Structures are given as structure tokens and as C-alpha cells.
Amino acid sequence: MHSLAYLARQPILDRDGKIYAYELLFRDSPESDIAVIASDVLATAQVLENVLNNIGIQRLIGKNKAFVNCSRNMLLDNLFGLLNPKYFVLEVLEDVEVDDAIVKAVQRYKALGFELALDDFIFNEEFITRFKPLFPYVSYVKMDIVDNSLQSMAAAATFFKTMGIKLLAEKVEDEATFKRCEEAGYDYFQGFFFAKPELVTGRKIDATSATILQLLLRIKSRPSLEDLCDTLSAHEDISQNLLRFVNSDAQTRHGRIASVKDAIVWVGMQRIQEWLMLMLYARPELGMTPQSSPLFQNASHRAKFLESLARTIDENDDDFCAKAFMVGLISRMDALVRAPLETILPDAPADDEMQEALLNRSGRLGALLRLADAVELDDRDSIRTSLSELKLNSAQLKLCINETYSFTNEH
């Protein structure tokens, strides 16, 4: 049995812009032009095994749901019967022939407690007639905005709402489209609009945010204890916040910690990094409840993913790995701050190499960003190209993604 090289995870957002679920996209090796796995049942079985045994469902989706594509064969072979219906939503693909066997399979999964969705629904008479027998058992209908007109999108919302079925808009690429679908009554949204927000020109990150980014870069370069102590001590407001944070820890058993050096020794550099990320997320210009925002999760995920890739390429080059982490984080700062990267970079800790990567996707760091883009978009051709350029293989990519999921869902 061939192991999967990577697993793409795309967020599904609710009307408040918070993550409601993820669609899990399962693929064989992106290095092969011809799929290694011929059977869709075998492919999905392998991926589910990878998710449950290697990554773990909690690491992958947290407390959210997981939407999984289901072909006719998958539904009839009872592939999902052992899964926890609390987490998995089964998507009936648009090319499934609906007959008595499929209706019975859907009824069985519904009785087991699974929610079901219709994928890539086109709002016309042919689709409505074909899938009508499944409507009583369906909780979601996914409408692709590319394949449906705006009029069809709105009509579908009215049609399915009368049956208590929730509507999900797919391929939402910008905020304007998100708002149109929201106004039409859609409940959930999938796509990359959060990466292309409405930008407010002229805004910048403030001095504290810039300082936090600089400190994160310094920590990622693996400084000595003395160097890190000097760096933190140079920023009185942040060092005082660190002392308050450390002394608020109920596990502190040796009296009040009064020096930055003792604080670093007590909590360790890893927790200092996590604390700085929390500080960054709490900045007022980055909005409210950032931990539930797909932008913050995507930024953290990218940062760790690029660092993991860089460590795989050259585990001894701490500077390269530190820059990779920061490039991943800063690559989403335009969306977080709602300002163009060009106005952010002068205040961010980005040297010429990092700026070239962020603005032009050039150099080794730029190649890492292109690979992150390709994985998020599930662009197999670009994944193959980037892996070749970076001299990485699919097994290394899989390990980096698994490591990233583990990190970003535990911190």
C-alpha cells in the first residue's frame, strides 16, 4: 500500500468569519503525473488511516468538523462506518448516480449520526431531479460560485432554506464575493477570501507589533541565554509583561521571579516564543478573538511549515530556519493588519532576502512560500515544481505537514 505524500486542509468559515470545519483533501504523491492509487476507495482508506493513526483527528481539526469527499463506491462499501460521526461530514460527489442503493446507504449513515452534504451542486432542473431523493437526509449543500450564476446562488438559498438545509458557498476568493453570498443567506463559506481582504491603504503595524516580530526572529535564530536576556531587557514594556506572565503561573514554587534571565530559565525559550505569539495576536490592530480567526491560524501554520521545511533542507542553518518562520508569518500580515505588505515591511524585521521572498517569491525563501501556496491551494503541478526546486521529496513534505499540524493545534 502506497502512503500518501500530503494532505490538504481547507477551512470552512461561518458567517462570523470563524472556522466551522475543514475539508480534507486526500492526494497520492504529487511527484507523479499519474495517480499511484487507482481506486478512490483505497485512496480514501489510506488517507483516513494517515489522519487517524499518524496525525490524529484532534491535531488536524481540533474541535471542528471534517468534510470528506465520498464517491459512489465509498458510500456503498461502508468505508466510514467505523468513524466518529461527531467529527465527519460525508460529501456526496456531484457525479454520483442516485439510485435505491445510494439512498439506502445515505439513510444508513444518517441513522448512524453522520451529517451529509451535496458537493458542487449546480442549481438547475437536472441536479434537483437527480438528487431530490437525498434531500431529506442532507444537512448541507455546497454551491460553487464559478459554476452557478449570482441569480442561481440566491435562488438556491431560498429553495434549500425551506427544507432546513444549510448552504455553503465554495470558491469564495475575496471579501466582496463573501459579502454577496452572506447577503443571499449562505451559512458557510469556503475559499481563500481571507487571504485577499479589503486592504486599507496607509495602515502600518505599530511599534510594539514590530518589536514582537523582531523578538520572534531573534528567538528563532537560537540565541544564547545572555543574548536573549539582553534583547528582551532592551524593551522594558515587553520584559515587564513577561515577568507578570511568569509570576502569574500557579506552578511557580520558588517565590517571585524578579529578573528577565530567571524568567527565561524558568519557562524556557519555547514558551517564550508561544507567549510572544500570544502577545502578537492580542495587538489591537489585529482585531478581536484572533485565535478563532482563519487568518491567524493560517499565519501560524505557514510560519511553522516553512520553518520545518527549512530545517529539513539544512538543519544546521539556524538563520535560514528563523527567516523561513518569519517569512511565513509576515506573508499573512497584510491580511491581518489590512494594509499592503509594502507599507508593513519597513517596520518588520525583514532583510533584503526576506523582502524579495515576500514581494516577489524569489530565492530559497520565496520557493518555500510558493510551496506553501501550492499546498494550501492543492496545486499538484506547483507542488511538484517547488519540491524539485528545493530538492525535497514527497516523504519529507508529508513529515513537515504532519509536524506542522501537530504544532499549530497544540499551541
Side-chain angles (χ1 to χ4, degrees):
M1 182 179 287
H2 299 277
S3 63
L4 294 180
Y6 75 99
L7 181 152
R9 182 188 73 171
Q10 293 183 353
I12 295 171
L13 313 182
D14 63 18
R15 291 174 63 87
D16 294 324
K18 298 178 181 178
I19 294 176
Y20 172 73
Y22 293 97
E23 179 172 2
L24 304 184
L25 304 173
F26 309 138
R27 299 293 180 263
D28 62 320
S29 172
E31 295 179 317
S32 171
D33 289 326
I34 301 174
V36 174
I37 304 169
S39 164
D40 53 12
V41 175
L42 180 59
T44 303
Q46 289 180 352
V47 173
L48 289 174
E49 186 272 337
N50 185 47
V51 169
L52 297 176
N53 294 340
N54 297 333
I55 301 175
I57 192 65
Q58 291 298 328
R59 287 180 174 179
L60 187 64
I61 65 170
K63 298 179 180 179
N64 304 296
K65 293 180 180 291
F67 280 61
V68 182
N69 289 344
C70 303
S71 69
R72 178 182 176 86
N73 289 339
M74 295 176 198
L75 291 167
L76 295 180
D77 285 359
N78 196 29
L79 181 63
F80 307 101
L82 297 178
L83 298 180
N84 188 339
K86 176 182 177 181
Y87 297 112
F88 288 91
V89 177
L90 308 183
E91 293 187 40
V92 180
L93 294 178
E94 69 277 9
D95 58 359
V96 169
E97 177 188 353
V98 179
D99 55 16
D100 287 344
I102 287 295
V103 172
K104 289 179 181 178
V106 167
Q107 288 174 331
R108 182 173 63 252
Y109 280 119
K110 183 73 172 179
L112 289 172
F114 285 93
E115 290 186 310
L116 292 105
L118 299 180
D119 191 28
D120 289 336
F121 197 91
I122 298 176
F123 193 68
N124 59 29
E125 287 299 324
E126 190 272 326
F127 265 71
I128 292 172
T129 301
R130 177 150 58 97
F131 287 102
K132 186 175 181 180
L134 301 185
F135 289 167
Y137 313 106
V138 167
S139 299
Y140 311 89
V141 169
K142 300 179 73 173
M143 296 279 294
D144 188 323
I145 66 170
V146 175
D147 295 330
N148 290 278
S149 66
L150 290 176
Q151 292 80 3
S152 293
M153 295 288 288
T158 301
F159 179 81
F160 285 111
K161 287 286 185 180
T162 61
M163 292 180 260
I165 296 174
K166 297 184 182 298
L167 272 292
L168 190 157
E170 294 186 282
K171 296 184 180 176
V172 180
E173 302 295 335
D174 53 58
E175 283 201 17
T177 305
F178 165 67
K179 289 175 181 176
R180 285 199 300 270
C181 293
E182 186 182 37
E183 290 170 359
Y186 279 69
D187 303 282
Y188 304 108
F189 311 87
Q190 185 174 357
F192 290 88
F193 76 88
F194 58 83
K196 299 178 182 178
E198 292 179 339
L199 297 180
V200 180
T201 59
R203 293 185 61 177
K204 302 167 69 176
I205 57 176
D206 72 5
T208 301
S209 295
T211 300
I212 294 171
L213 288 171
Q214 290 169 349
L215 291 170
L216 280 167
L217 179 61
R218 186 73 179 122
I219 287 176
K220 282 296 177 182
S221 64
R222 295 187 175 180
S224 67
L225 175 60
E226 296 299 332
D227 285 344
L228 180 58
C229 181
D230 291 343
T231 302
L232 283 170
S233 297
H235 303 282
E236 184 176 355
D237 55 340
I238 292 178
S239 61
Q240 291 301 313
N241 281 329
L242 173 61
L243 291 173
R244 282 193 289 270
F245 164 69
V246 173
N247 284 301
S248 68
D249 190 342
Q251 296 182 3
T252 301
R253 293 287 183 267
H254 301 288
R256 183 173 180 81
I257 293 175
S259 72
V260 170
K261 183 176 181 179
D262 289 342
I264 297 171
V265 171
W266 179 257
V267 300
M269 288 194 184
Q270 179 61 47
R271 286 199 67 196
I272 296 289
Q273 175 195 321
E274 296 164 10
W275 172 74
L276 285 170
M277 289 289 285
L278 183 63
M279 286 270 290
L280 182 65
Y281 288 174
R283 299 303 304 147
E285 73 267 29
L286 301 185
M288 302 297 289
T289 60
Q291 287 85 344
S292 63
S293 162
L295 275 173
F296 284 94
Q297 294 199 20
N298 184 249
S300 298
H301 186 277
R302 275 181 161 235
K304 182 57 185 176
F305 180 49
L306 264 64
E307 181 187 23
S308 183
L309 289 169
R311 190 70 63 187
T312 301
I313 293 170
D314 189 345
E315 63 179 349
N316 296 316
D317 191 341
D318 292 336
D319 184 61
F320 176 53
C321 297
K323 287 181 178 181
F325 181 91
M326 290 307 301
V327 163
L329 187 61
I330 296 172
S331 70
R332 283 291 180 257
M333 289 299 292
D334 57 345
L336 292 169
V337 182
R338 307 176 79 83
L341 269 177
E342 290 82 357
T343 69
I344 295 169
L345 289 178
D347 298 307
D351 60 15
D352 290 344
E353 180 186 13
M354 296 167 68
Q355 293 199 34
E356 280 298 310
L358 289 161
L359 296 176
N360 302 315
R361 295 297 197 267
S362 61
R364 278 200 306 174
L365 293 172
L368 293 177
L369 267 181
R370 292 199 304 275
L371 180 54
D373 291 337
V375 169
E376 289 175 14
L377 293 168
D378 194 31
D379 183 341
R380 303 177 75 193
D381 290 337
S382 296
I383 290 172
R384 285 194 295 270
T385 300
S386 296
L387 286 175
S388 176
E389 182 179 349
L390 292 164
K391 295 182 173 56
L392 295 170
N393 59 48
S394 59
Q396 291 169 317
L397 175 62
K398 175 183 175 180
L399 288 173
C400 289
I401 291 177
N402 287 4
E403 180 182 315
T404 301
Y405 286 142
S406 298
F407 177 86
T408 54
N409 281 290
E410 291 176 357
H411 297 84

